[in-house]
Amino acid sequence: MENFQMIPSLLSSEMGHTRLFAHFSGTDDDHHEMKEEEPKFDLHMGNSNNNFGNESGTSFGSERNSKKRPSTKEGKNKVKRHKFAFQTRSQVDVLDDGYRWRKYGQKTVKNSKFPRSYYKCTYQGCNVKKQIQRLCMDEGVVVTTYEGMHTHSIEKANENFDHILKRMQNSYTTAL
DNA sequence: CGTATTTGACCAGCGC
DNA sequence: GCGCTGGTCAAATACG
């Protein structure tokens, strides 16, 4: 688990169907370990015209840096990454945000009956990662966690996500 | 045939 | 220090 700290300021950012609930900002030194429960707001406005499935409640979640694997040999730089998580009510696990993702792993997590999937952006030089997991208590909700910023632009724009992504970028820049 | 996914192994961090 | 848990790698496989 990580520490989730939600920033209320983002709670009001809503775009037509999707909403950001909270944004986690963490620094890498991780001093804040206030991890409560993740913001599980569900507001599903029950639309059905989203690109993703049909729902749309999204909530924002966390950000934190993770000390990466020093690899086997160069272990010195603890990369502080920004994580941005949000929950979405959707039937589909992988939301099409306009980027191309390559799945590189899947793990079962202890608290969830559903596995978590790990994706990486396939654009060369772009190390953005994201992980997707479904809430065990509410299998209609998927939690998507983005890590890092894209170094390129979106290939195929997604109306809904474009807004979310912008929000994320703003948070990143303001956080830095 | 090239690229994406699957899946177990591997590794690092943390708690006990 | 050991074992559990989560994150990544990589080989094999699936898919177009």
Side-chain angles (χ1 to χ4, degrees), chain A residues 49-116:
Chain A
N49 294 319
N50 289 349
N51 317 332
F52 344 118
N54 2 300
E55 333 227 344
S56 29
T58 322
S59 43
F60 253 94
S62 78
E63 132 154 60
R64 186 213 176 161
N65 52 304
S66 25
K67 328 99 172 302
K68 293 276 120 118
R69 58 333 135 94
S71 271
T72 316
K73 11 184 93 186
E74 48 182 320
K76 44 159 63 183
N77 51 343
K78 25 162 87 193
V79 188
K80 50 167 75 182
R81 286 218 175 275
H82 285 77
K83 273 196 188 172
F84 209 84
F86 59 92
Q87 301 179 2
T88 305
R89 273 209 172 265
S90 172
Q91 306 276 86
V92 291
D93 286 9
V94 42
L95 285 54
D96 183 25
D97 50 10
Y99 290 99
R100 184 156 215 79
W101 301 95
R102 184 185 82 258
K103 186 176 191 173
Y104 67 90
Q106 174 169 315
K107 275 298 243 185
T108 59
V109 277
K110 192 85 170 69
N111 285 324
S112 180
K113 7 196 255 250
F114 304 102
R116 172 183 299 164

Side-chain angles (χ1 to χ4, degrees), chain A residues 39-55:
Chain A
K40 41 185 82 181
F41 307 78
D42 8 30
L43 36 151
H44 21 320
M45 355 233 201
N47 296 350
S48 13
N49 294 319
N50 289 349
N51 317 332
F52 344 118
N54 2 300
E55 333 227 344

Side-chain angles (χ1 to χ4, degrees), chain A residues 93-94 101-109 114-120 129-134 143-145:
Chain A
D93 286 9
V94 42
W101 301 95
R102 184 185 82 258
K103 186 176 191 173
Y104 67 90
Q106 174 169 315
K107 275 298 243 185
T108 59
V109 277
F114 304 102
R116 172 183 299 164
S117 301
Y118 302 89
Y119 294 85
K120 219 157 29 170
K129 285 178 270 189
K130 79 170 175 182
Q131 46 183 249
I132 297 176
Q133 73 179 338
R134 198 169 277 279
V143 181
T144 305
T145 305

Side-chain angles (χ1 to χ4, degrees), chain A residues 13-15 17-21 43 45 56-60:
Chain A
S13 46
E14 64 209 293
M15 44 227 95
H17 331 318
T18 346
R19 297 200 174 180
L20 311 185
F21 286 96
L43 36 151
M45 355 233 201
S56 29
T58 322
S59 43
F60 253 94

Side-chain angles (χ1 to χ4, degrees), chain A residues 138-154:
Chain A
D138 196 343
E139 80 178 79
V141 176
V142 290
V143 181
T144 305
T145 305
Y146 285 86
E147 185 175 327
M149 282 300 300
H150 289 281
T151 60
H152 56 100
S153 47
I154 315 174

